[in-house]
Amino acid sequence: MKTKPGHPNPLGATWDGRGVNFALFSENATKVELCLFDSPDAKVESRKIVMPEQTDRVWHVYLPDIRPGQLYGYRVHGPFDPVNGHRFNPSKVLLDPYAKAIGRDVKWDKSLFGYNFDDEAEDLSRNEDDGAAFAPLARVIDPAFDWGDDRHPNTAWHKTVIYEAHVKGFTKKNPGIPEKIRGTYAAIASEASIEHLKKLGVTAIELLPVHYHLDDSHLEEKGLVNYWGYNTLGFLAPNYRYAQDDPVREFKTMVKALHAAGIEVILDVVYNHTAEGNQKGPTLSMRGIDNAAYYMLSPEDPRFYMDFTGCGNVPNMSHPRVLQLIMDSLRYWVEEMHVDGFRFDLASTLARELHEIDRLGTFFDIIHQDPTISQVKLIAEPWDVGPGGYQVGNFPVLWTEWNGKYRDCVRSFWKGEGGEINEFATRFSGSSDLYQDDGRKPYASINFITCHDGFTLQDLVSYNEKHNEANGEENRDGADDNRSWNCGVEGPTDDPAINDLRERQKRNLIATLLLSQGVPMICAGDELSHSQSGSNNAYCQDNDLTWFDWDLNENQQKFLDFVAKVIRIRHTQPVFQRRRFFKGRPIKGVKDITWLAPSGEEMDEAGWNAGFVKCVGIRLAGDRIDEVDEEGDRIVGETLVILLNAHDEAIDFTLPAPDDSRHWEMLFDTADAEAEASFHDGEKPYALQGRTVALFRLRERHEKAGEALSAAQSQAILTKD
């Protein structure tokens, strides 16, 4: 086969229209061989080409006769010296870290491990069994795609509503999607999926990991899979499992369709560990390419890995080539795949340059100066399992964060535990204690009640305890601190009173989420009342437990309608989309936010300090907003009052007295999802039922004295596009 020296950049396999350039970084290798395979069924490579050139520790070669579709891997030679961190083993075919498509998945076999299982020294003896027949292979791609006039929607953060979804779970059982494409990128792009997202009112879909990942061998032995996908091996390759034929083209088609509907695409990305695990894991890619360069090893004993995630290893963020890999991956997904942002799993790990977390570490410096990545949405999961790993509120400007404190506080409030009112007020109004001091805005807080990890909303109000027996770990896995409440019975029940209370609690939780300052994130399926039968760790369940049922009963349809209604209200009321924190001081004689006691008076110090307070009102002075939108026009809003009662019993709540020309219009009351709009002048207290949220807006009285807007007119205003 003809060969040319090629170039060290770009890394990976690059088709230029005439041939393919292959480039692989390995700092400590002594020889690198490029292995070409004729088919996914091949047990050994058809050609093995020694890469003749090394530039700046990048091995490279150009093959003019190679075309897109070619399957390939590498054999990398060097010292096998685990005690000093080196695990080279040329009997293993290795996946290119820059693979843009996967041509063959891993097939678990002992030959994929670099050590002998039966050796007493465990990982210290080299396994010479050839793994070529079982190793994952990369595929050369042709990146050409007709993007047409595709553009990023660029939805402002303060107008964003996120929908966290799994490609397969969201689409697998939707009868409106052609059966042959269910569970795929094409299914997300289908008319039925996009119609649901548009009717719901979300502005961005955040996809659980779509990078190429592995199913752990121990899960396969149990007949399970790594369904969530937090076990990445290929940072640039879209998961082929969600495609019919060409995952790259089909992913791009999905993004293009979502953008045409005005919906952004955010990817959940896992750069904090890889699927190779600890020293007893397989040798599939970076471990065999250059273990000491790619991974963070123990300074005291380089045989072992630093592990801040509980998954066995951590990429070496202090190495410039590892940082380059992550940055090249991010840039590729923005520039070539047109995604709009990223949610970084266990992001605290990325800030660890040695052991301690450096909130202004190299990774963040590089992100901030990058002209491409710094312009997309950046979301941190601000914790890991290492020392000092809980970093909520400590990420730098440009970053938003999953606000775990918001989740915990709101769950506790509606559980009725009491003693939460001070913190609840802070969380509801944007968590200024976490984000204001460093110049960030309320939208730095990604608010959520539920997410993929934990109970669904339906299960949060139906179970006191986790039920993860299906995972085969005797219910030991999954979090124990769920702050859930089953409303009186564990699991499903025919008791109408309990079911009514559960529906009300769901409305309370979702209404609180959508009326809070910050960016709301809805866990996909919650709007459909999806249950996982009490499982709060369904990471390995690829079945009806995690696939949504779209055949809704009457209560489920009512709840879906309610969620969409509250999202519409959020979109049409600027007071819920603030770009600045509340000041709590008068503007033109009216405070921007006022916290009310049931008497209608402003909360006093005694009220704030009373541990039993579970009922509060919030007045938001919408008609006093002193802001302008992106076009420079003044934002016009309405003054709203939100009443929240986490007590079991009803409380008479006195609304603030409006002037003679206006009155309060009740937009919804979670005690009755179908209650018609009603009007109140504030003279008589409002009967706020137990476990209830009610929302009012201040309206001008109708031009005819004493005549109020009809319920039909009010609903027309709410549903207006």
Side-chain angles (χ1 to χ4, degrees):
M1 178 172 286
K2 296 178 182 178
T3 67
K4 294 182 179 181
H7 304 280
N9 289 301
L11 290 164
T14 305
W15 161 250
D16 64 5
R18 294 172 295 179
V20 179
N21 189 79
F22 294 88
L24 179 75
F25 164 75
S26 181
E27 184 174 344
N28 296 294
T30 57
K31 183 172 74 171
V32 176
E33 295 171 303
L34 171 65
C35 304
L36 304 180
F37 290 77
D38 289 339
S39 76
D41 299 324
K43 297 184 182 302
V44 68
E45 60 267 42
S46 58
R47 290 184 176 86
K48 189 180 337 184
I49 300 164
V50 175
M51 301 182 79
E53 300 291 331
Q54 185 192 40
T55 305
D56 297 332
R57 299 172 179 172
V58 174
W59 303 75
H60 51 93
V61 67
Y62 182 86
L63 304 182
D65 296 329
I66 297 300
R67 298 292 182 267
Q70 176 66 57
L71 305 183
Y72 73 98
Y74 293 102
R75 296 183 188 268
V76 182
H77 299 252
F80 183 83
D81 184 11
V83 172
N84 290 303
H86 298 301
R87 297 181 179 270
F88 293 99
N89 191 335
S91 67
K92 314 306 170 192
V93 171
L94 305 171
L95 182 69
D96 184 357
Y98 278 78
K100 295 182 177 68
I102 303 302
R104 185 180 73 188
D105 197 6
V106 67
K107 301 175 184 177
W108 287 114
D109 185 81
K110 287 185 177 181
S111 65
L112 297 177
F113 293 79
Y115 60 92
N116 293 308
F117 280 75
D118 300 328
D119 195 287
E120 292 183 2
E122 295 179 324
D123 61 302
L124 297 181
S125 63
R126 188 160 76 172
N127 177 3
E128 302 289 351
D129 293 342
D130 196 296
F134 308 98
L137 299 176
R139 177 171 61 83
V140 178
I141 71 163
D142 182 350
F145 181 78
D146 182 9
W147 282 104
D149 59 354
D150 179 72
R151 295 182 181 181
H152 295 286
N154 288 324
T155 305
W157 261 125
H158 64 286
K159 296 182 178 180
T160 297
V161 178
I162 298 173
Y163 186 78
E164 187 203 29
H166 187 283
V167 172
K168 189 173 185 179
F170 175 58
T171 62
K172 183 62 176 175
K173 297 175 69 175
N174 188 333
I177 299 173
E179 189 170 358
K180 66 179 181 179
I181 67 168
R182 293 178 192 171
T184 68
Y185 304 123
I188 295 282
S190 70
E191 182 179 349
S193 290
I194 291 178
E195 180 182 12
H196 178 74
L197 297 175
K198 293 293 288 181
K199 284 186 176 180
L200 191 59
V202 298
T203 67
I205 185 169
E206 181 180 305
L207 296 176
L208 267 66
V210 298
H211 291 175
Y212 171 59
H213 77 272
L214 301 188
D215 291 329
D216 316 67
S217 57
H218 74 274
L219 289 177
E220 286 197 353
E221 292 171 0
K222 297 179 182 179
L224 302 172
V225 299
N226 193 313
Y227 173 71
W228 285 350
Y230 291 89
N231 201 32
T232 304
L233 191 65
F235 293 138
L236 286 82
N239 199 325
Y240 70 91
R241 304 178 196 200
Y242 307 139
Q244 294 178 285
D245 177 39
D246 183 343
V248 177
R249 176 179 53 79
E250 292 172 36
F251 183 91
K252 291 178 178 179
T253 301
M254 174 194 72
V255 173
K256 184 177 179 180
L258 289 166
H259 282 181
I263 299 170
E264 295 183 307
V265 179
I266 298 172
L267 299 187
D268 194 334
V269 290
V270 187
Y271 297 113
N272 56 72
H273 73 280
T274 77
E276 291 186 293
N278 62 18
Q279 73 277 3
K280 295 184 179 181
T283 298
L284 301 172
S285 183
M286 292 184 280
R287 171 173 285 137
I289 295 170
D290 198 334
N291 186 64
Y294 280 99
Y295 290 115
M296 186 182 293
L297 307 180
S298 169
E300 293 78 21
D301 191 348
R303 173 186 171 188
F304 301 103
Y305 297 81
M306 302 302 295
D307 181 10
F308 302 113
T309 67
C311 299
N313 63 52
V314 173
N316 184 7
M317 299 301 293
S318 64
H319 197 293
R321 288 293 187 177
V322 177
L323 282 171
Q324 180 187 352
L325 169 60
I326 294 175
M327 294 299 294
D328 286 348
S329 167
L330 293 169
R331 202 175 295 110
Y332 174 79
W333 287 98
V334 175
E335 295 179 343
E336 295 294 327
M337 309 295 264
H338 287 209
V339 304
D340 304 282
F342 305 96
R343 178 265 188 188
F344 292 80
D345 181 64
L346 299 181
S348 293
T349 298
L350 304 177
R352 294 182 185 271
E353 297 191 356
L354 292 174
H355 301 279
E356 301 299 324
I357 288 178
D358 180 359
R359 71 186 292 261
L360 295 177
T362 302
F363 175 71
F364 299 112
D365 292 340
I366 293 175
I367 289 280
H368 291 183
Q369 61 80 38
D370 188 276
T372 297
I373 304 170
S374 64
Q375 300 305 304
V376 302
K377 287 182 165 66
L378 301 172
I379 305 171
E381 182 185 34
W383 49 76
D384 64 19
V385 300
Y390 193 77
Q391 292 291 313
V392 173
N394 288 332
F395 277 70
V397 174
L398 289 187
W399 288 77
T400 64
E401 302 176 17
W402 271 26
N403 191 343
K405 293 186 177 182
Y406 177 94
R407 172 200 60 202
D408 295 344
C409 177
V410 173
R411 286 187 178 192
S412 293
F413 178 82
W414 284 113
K415 189 178 178 182
E417 293 181 341
E420 299 280 342
I421 195 63
N422 278 285
E423 185 180 3
F424 179 85
T426 302
R427 301 291 157 247
F428 186 89
S429 55
S431 294
S432 59
D433 61 327
L434 300 176
Y435 307 114
Q436 188 172 27
D437 287 347
D438 61 3
R440 286 190 283 174
K441 306 296 185 182
Y443 49 76
S445 178
I446 305 296
N447 299 329
F448 65 105
I449 305 295
T450 59
C451 64
H452 69 276
D453 188 2
F455 281 138
T456 67
L457 185 62
Q458 182 67 42
D459 290 350
L460 188 68
V461 301
S462 304
Y463 294 90
N464 285 347
E465 308 294 336
K466 64 184 182 182
H467 297 270
N468 298 335
E469 290 81 4
N471 294 352
E473 299 180 38
E474 298 180 348
N475 206 33
R476 294 188 301 268
D477 61 308
D480 293 313
D481 180 18
N482 297 290
R483 307 192 187 201
S484 60
W485 179 44
N486 65 18
C487 298
V489 173
E490 188 76 353
T493 179
D494 293 328
D495 188 321
I498 291 177
N499 285 329
D500 286 347
L501 178 56
R502 288 175 177 176
E503 291 302 310
R504 185 183 302 187
Q505 284 287 84
K506 285 160 52 182
R507 292 192 290 269
N508 292 337
L509 288 160
I510 205 73
T512 303
L513 173 66
L514 292 167
L515 302 185
S516 295
Q517 299 300 317
V519 178
M521 184 186 77
I522 298 170
C523 182
D526 280 352
E527 79 282 13
L528 304 174
S529 302
H530 174 66
S531 171
Q532 293 176 168
S533 300
S535 172
N536 72 350
N537 190 33
Y539 79 102
C540 56
Q541 301 294 329
D542 185 6
N543 48 49
D544 284 339
L545 196 68
T546 53
W547 303 342
F548 306 161
D549 186 354
W550 294 81
D551 184 15
L552 306 184
N553 61 34
E554 183 179 359
N555 277 339
Q556 291 167 339
Q557 183 61 53
K558 287 179 181 179
F559 184 66
L560 172 59
D561 294 341
F562 178 80
V563 176
K565 174 181 177 179
V566 183
I567 292 177
R568 287 198 302 271
I569 292 173
R570 180 182 179 87
H571 283 317
T572 57
Q573 294 294 342
V575 291
F576 299 129
Q577 306 169 33
R578 287 181 60 89
R579 291 175 291 161
R580 297 178 178 86
F581 286 103
F582 291 111
K583 300 296 184 181
R585 61 172 183 257
I587 300 174
K588 299 180 181 178
V590 179
K591 285 187 176 182
D592 52 6
I593 183 170
T594 306
W595 293 85
L596 304 170
S599 64
E601 300 296 323
E602 187 169 359
M603 286 271 286
D604 57 19
E605 185 174 352
W608 286 116
N609 294 327
F612 59 82
V613 174
K614 303 179 189 177
C615 181
V616 68
I618 307 145
R619 185 183 192 275
L620 303 176
D623 53 355
R624 304 298 185 188
I625 291 178
D626 189 18
E627 295 190 30
V628 294
D629 62 17
E630 292 85 348
E631 288 73 37
D633 297 325
R634 183 175 181 274
I635 296 173
V636 178
E638 295 176 302
T639 292
L640 303 174
V641 164
I642 308 159
L643 307 183
L644 307 99
N645 182 13
H647 290 280
D648 290 320
E649 66 275 7
I651 292 178
D652 287 339
F653 208 112
T654 300
L655 292 165
D659 57 44
D660 292 339
S661 65
R662 297 193 286 185
H663 56 185
W664 294 105
E665 177 188 9
M666 188 274 287
L667 298 181
F668 69 76
D669 185 327
T670 59
D672 183 358
E674 298 180 293
E676 293 185 349
S678 57
F679 299 88
H680 307 268
D681 56 17
E683 292 182 3
K684 294 181 179 179
Y686 182 80
L688 185 64
Q689 299 302 305
R691 306 279 182 180
T692 294
V693 178
L695 175 65
F696 302 81
R697 63 175 169 181
L698 194 58
R699 300 289 292 168
E700 296 293 332
R701 292 184 183 273
H702 195 270
E703 59 271 16
K704 293 183 179 180
E707 183 179 349
L709 289 172
S710 69
Q713 288 173 309
S714 177
Q715 187 63 25
I717 293 171
L718 285 179
T719 57
K720 183 179 179 181
D721 290 335

